[in-house]
Amino acid sequence: MNYTTQMDAAKKGIATKEIQTVAKKEKMDVSDLMYRMSRGRVVIPANKNHKKLSAEGVGKGLKTKINVNLGISKDCSNVNLELDKVKKAIDMKAEAIMDLSCFGKTREFRSKLIAMSPAMIGTVPIYDAVGFYDKELKDITAEELLNVIETHAKDGVDFMTIHAGINRETAQVFKRNPRLMNFVSRGGSLLYAWMNLNNRENPFYEYFDRVLDICEKYDVTISLGDACRSGCIKDSTDPSQVKELMTLSELAKRAWKRNVQVMIEGPGHMALNEIEANMELEKKLCHDAPFYVLGPIVTDIAPGYDHITSAIGGAIAAAHGADFLCYVTPAEHLRLPDLQDMKDGIIAAKIAAHAADIANGIKGARDWDNEMAQARRKLDWDKIFAVSIDPEKAKKYRESSMPEDKKTCTMCGKMCAVRNMNKVMEGKNINILRDDD
């Protein structure tokens, strides 16, 4: 039996190679997975031309996934450095990598990335348009913008952020409801500018059926972009954000009729007390479609530490319905992240995702923690390092300050509660001041 996309296969009861891979990874029954996919609650981004892919699922009842952003810019165009980041992200088992390149030989870098990556690959085609055509934004035609999408699809991109929700109607809502930070979405701001400069409708909205033609042909998952996401906590959950979400709701239904898989993006910077309601709002308005969030960043005062502000928001968001976390690095708002920034961002996002999986009762999520607790009870340092989320850092800290009693650490020494409880439970003397017998 033939199928066009993973969603189409799920509706027809065809267990594709990708569906079987995800079911095994998630310890989920294949028929249950296909049911969720057929309803749009789970996506498996898997472009037909991405041959290296090890498929991952995103959505309801699955482990929370994380995405790593990288790519070249005009100010930082070192392709080899970005490829080093790719290798590190793959080594650290990030489930997705988004190439946000916006300058120079973007296709050359994208092709290398897709050829080497088992992680799913995402892009934002509007970022590439100016460099792709070597034209100023105003002079790029609607047809040319659509052609960039097709080029990325041909190259093997698994999911694309398409800012189709910032149409003329949404733009009017924005104009009537001024914001402190206006738009901070790069893609959203570019399309808003294009619309104003050309006095035209957003081509991704106007020609959304053309976008669907491309995505259906190559099985590209659409990540409906959050052009109106808030760039500071003052702008969160405002009319512009909610209006765009309503538009994305309608576009998701149109995509599903064509068997095109959909994720919804949001919501940016947001105070802690608004996160749960925002997750519920998205799930309600967008028919339980997978939710892909940046952050939410829960305070605006921490440049250099936004991997932490984001992880706090991400854990809460994922515990209340978000399915996919876009990592944030310490360099957010300051510069292009370097290799260490990227590593710190991945670790922070993975901690947030795992904490949410525990809260959500995801099958097997607690096994990792139980393994760590077992190693700690035994004071088995090699095992502790082995099961750490960052073994290298854990071992480095340990070795930088060694205790007299090698079983303990320099925080407590022989007063270590674990050491002493083990001895007491075994009927042994504790011997804090003297050597053991």
Side-chain angles (χ1 to χ4, degrees):
M1 191 182 296
N2 295 325
Y3 62 91
T4 55
T5 67
Q6 296 293 325
M7 186 180 202
D8 184 37
K11 287 179 179 178
K12 292 174 176 175
I14 302 170
T16 65
K17 173 171 61 74
E18 292 79 12
I19 289 173
Q20 292 178 56
T21 296
V22 171
K24 184 176 180 180
K25 287 182 178 181
E26 300 289 342
K27 302 176 182 176
M28 178 179 285
D29 183 76
V30 169
S31 60
D32 185 14
L33 177 60
M34 288 196 293
Y35 173 76
R36 297 180 195 209
M37 292 175 65
S38 70
R39 301 290 296 274
R41 294 173 182 172
V42 168
V43 298
I44 299 179
N47 189 308
K48 295 171 183 176
N49 291 338
H50 186 180
K51 306 305 183 185
K52 182 81 172 180
L53 179 69
S54 176
E56 295 283 354
V58 178
K60 195 175 184 68
L62 277 58
K63 292 190 290 287
T64 307
K65 306 305 186 300
I66 74 157
N67 170 70
V68 172
N69 290 337
L70 42 75
I72 54 176
S73 69
K74 186 173 183 179
D75 293 308
C76 297
S77 55
N78 188 328
V79 171
N80 289 331
L81 175 59
E82 293 308 297
L83 289 173
D84 286 342
K85 292 181 188 176
V86 171
K87 293 170 188 173
K88 188 66 174 178
I90 292 169
D91 287 345
M92 295 181 72
K93 295 182 170 50
E95 290 91 3
I97 297 172
M98 284 200 84
D99 173 16
L100 305 187
S101 295
C102 57
F103 175 78
K105 296 180 179 179
T106 59
R107 195 172 192 188
E108 178 184 327
F109 174 70
R110 185 167 60 250
S111 298
K112 289 180 179 178
L113 170 61
I114 292 166
M116 69 190 290
S117 178
M120 52 186 166
I121 301 300
T123 58
V124 189
I126 186 65
Y127 290 3
D128 193 24
V130 173
F132 191 86
Y133 292 109
D134 194 21
K135 285 184 175 183
E136 288 298 333
L137 180 66
K138 179 181 183 298
D139 300 324
I140 299 173
T141 67
E143 186 67 27
E144 286 173 332
L145 289 173
L146 293 168
N147 286 341
V148 175
I149 294 177
E150 181 137 30
T151 298
H152 284 219
K154 284 180 181 176
D155 288 346
V157 171
D158 302 298
F159 67 99
M160 295 183 203
T161 294
I162 306 291
H163 297 89
I166 178 62
N167 58 11
R168 282 185 149 182
E169 193 175 348
T170 307
Q172 289 303 314
V173 172
F174 164 69
K175 289 176 181 177
R176 293 195 301 269
N177 298 273
R179 286 175 150 190
L180 179 59
M181 284 289 293
N182 296 316
F183 289 156
V184 298
S185 160
R186 194 193 322 178
S189 65
L190 289 171
L191 282 163
Y192 182 81
W194 188 94
M195 291 163 64
N196 278 272
L197 291 168
N198 291 286
N199 194 27
R200 290 275 308 273
E201 179 59 278
N202 176 356
F204 296 156
Y205 178 79
E206 184 176 2
Y207 303 109
F208 192 64
D209 285 332
R210 293 273 304 280
V211 174
L212 294 179
D213 288 342
I214 297 166
C215 292
E216 182 182 24
K217 180 178 179 181
Y218 296 95
D219 198 0
V220 174
T221 298
I222 296 181
S223 191
L224 287 168
D226 50 344
C228 298
R229 73 170 184 266
S230 49
C232 62
I233 60 173
K234 188 178 188 302
D235 292 338
S236 63
T237 325
D238 73 340
S240 298
Q241 179 194 328
V242 176
K243 172 58 182 171
E244 182 181 38
L245 196 59
M246 293 168 66
T247 304
L248 301 186
S249 167
E250 296 170 357
L251 294 175
K253 290 172 75 173
R254 286 172 61 183
W256 288 335
K257 285 182 180 178
R258 295 285 301 277
N259 293 317
V260 173
Q261 301 181 99
V262 172
M263 297 186 287
I264 308 294
E265 295 187 14
H269 295 231
M270 181 167 292
L272 281 172
N273 59 302
E274 295 180 39
I275 295 174
E276 181 178 356
N278 266 264
M279 299 306 109
E280 292 180 2
L281 182 65
E282 185 278 338
K283 290 291 183 176
K284 180 69 174 178
L285 285 179
C286 296
H287 328 290
D288 243 0
F291 201 13
Y292 176 23
V293 301
L294 184 142
I297 292 175
V298 296
T299 177
D300 301 323
I301 63 161
Y305 296 91
D306 277 321
H307 60 312
I308 297 173
T309 63
S310 172
I312 293 168
I316 295 169
H320 290 95
D323 307 287
F324 194 17
L325 302 182
C326 186
Y327 92 149
V328 172
T329 77
E332 185 79 4
H333 307 111
L334 300 172
R335 63 174 169 88
L336 192 78
D338 64 18
L339 197 60
Q340 185 60 48
D341 295 328
M342 190 192 76
K343 180 180 176 181
D344 291 344
I346 290 173
I347 294 293
K350 277 184 165 289
I351 291 169
H354 182 65
D357 289 348
I358 292 170
N360 290 330
I362 297 298
K363 188 180 293 185
R366 286 178 177 264
D367 293 349
W368 189 2
D369 297 77
N370 292 340
E371 193 174 4
M372 175 62 84
Q374 193 76 269
R376 282 178 169 160
R377 183 181 67 79
K378 295 177 179 178
L379 293 170
D380 183 345
W381 292 99
D382 289 338
K383 183 69 172 180
I384 288 169
F385 301 146
V387 299
S388 295
I389 197 167
D390 186 356
E392 183 182 329
K393 186 170 187 177
K395 190 173 184 180
K396 182 180 177 181
Y397 269 62
R398 165 74 175 166
E399 291 177 348
S400 70
S401 181
M402 292 298 292
E404 177 188 357
D405 183 339
K406 298 300 188 287
K407 275 283 188 181
T408 65
C409 78
T410 53
M411 180 74 172
C412 300
K414 287 188 174 182
M415 288 191 181
C416 170
V418 177
R419 169 193 184 269
N420 293 337
M421 283 304 299
N422 285 345
K423 284 181 171 292
V424 169
M425 297 299 285
E426 294 167 6
K428 295 179 180 178
N429 196 350
I430 291 177
N431 290 348
I432 293 175
L433 300 177
R434 301 175 306 281
D435 291 338
D436 288 335
D437 297 332

